[in-house]
Amino acid sequence: TFRVEWPFWPSAVIGVVLAALVGAIIERGVYRPLAANAGSTALLAVFVAALGLGIAGDNMIRLFWGSETQAYYGPKKEAYHVWDTVFLNYDVWQALSGVVIVLALAAMLRFTALGRRIKATRINPDLARIIGIDAGKTYVICFFLGTICAGVSAVWYGLKFTVDPGMGNCGKNGQWVPVG
């Protein structure tokens, strides 16, 4: 398996940014051309492509890093007891980072030119194009930002529990589990 022994925080930041870049590349290189050529079934085509990319990504991770569940280590895990509730410092940091991300995104949407472009594209992409907004670029930026949000959450999840190739799938240990 391929391993790089770097300090935790730089590795976490690099991992989240690289994941965000991959998300933006997938939107630009796979989803957008597929949706443009699929016509009225664009949503279904993108869904099927996302499913296929998820399976392919899962298997690539298994190929390079193995299938076993792995722990990774960062800040020391500490438990806090408040009345009858026990929670970890990771829970606190995850909640705080979630609040910071939501506030930062809300401020960006409200007070920046990028936020105005995103809102205009969301409301009416055709009109946004007419007034000079590059809707395609805006979609890529939104995928980038959305992947950062998911990546930050995944870092905290991986610290609290463990990581495995299928941790983003609906199921146990990456295996699809029937509901019911």
Side-chain angles (χ1 to χ4, degrees):
T1 60
F2 175 73
R3 297 251 186 249
V4 177
E5 298 295 329
W6 288 349
F8 175 76
W9 288 113
S11 299
V13 170
I14 290 169
V16 168
V17 171
L18 285 176
L21 288 171
V22 169
I25 290 168
I26 288 171
E27 194 284 330
R28 180 78 170 122
V30 177
Y31 296 159
R32 188 176 317 162
L34 190 60
N37 293 324
S40 64
T41 60
L43 190 59
L44 177 62
V46 170
F47 173 75
V48 171
L51 183 62
L53 286 169
I55 292 168
D58 186 323
N59 286 311
M60 289 295 292
I61 291 169
R62 289 177 194 279
L63 180 66
F64 288 109
W65 290 283
S67 294
E68 64 277 352
T69 299
Q70 300 178 25
Y72 63 76
Y73 304 98
K76 183 180 176 191
K77 187 185 292 188
E78 298 175 20
Y80 299 109
H81 302 271
V82 177
W83 294 292
D84 291 334
T85 305
V86 178
F87 56 93
L88 299 175
N89 56 333
Y90 299 151
D91 298 322
V92 174
W93 288 108
Q94 183 175 16
L96 289 175
S97 62
V99 168
V100 167
I101 287 171
V102 166
L103 292 175
L105 287 173
M108 184 265 306
L109 287 171
R110 180 167 176 119
F111 299 114
T112 68
L114 173 61
R116 288 187 289 279
R117 287 196 320 258
I118 289 171
K119 289 188 291 186
T121 303
R122 178 184 59 86
I123 293 169
N124 191 336
D126 294 328
L127 184 58
R129 284 185 190 98
I130 290 171
I131 62 172
I133 294 173
D134 184 353
K137 184 177 177 183
T138 304
Y139 292 141
V140 170
I141 291 169
C142 287
F143 259 78
F144 183 83
L145 294 173
T147 309
I148 284 177
C149 294
V152 169
S153 178
V155 167
W156 292 117
Y157 180 90
L159 276 171
K160 185 174 179 182
F161 302 108
T162 58
V163 294
D164 68 81
M167 68 187 246
N169 294 339
C170 300
K172 184 176 182 181
N173 296 326
Q175 304 300 314
W176 293 96
V177 177
V179 178

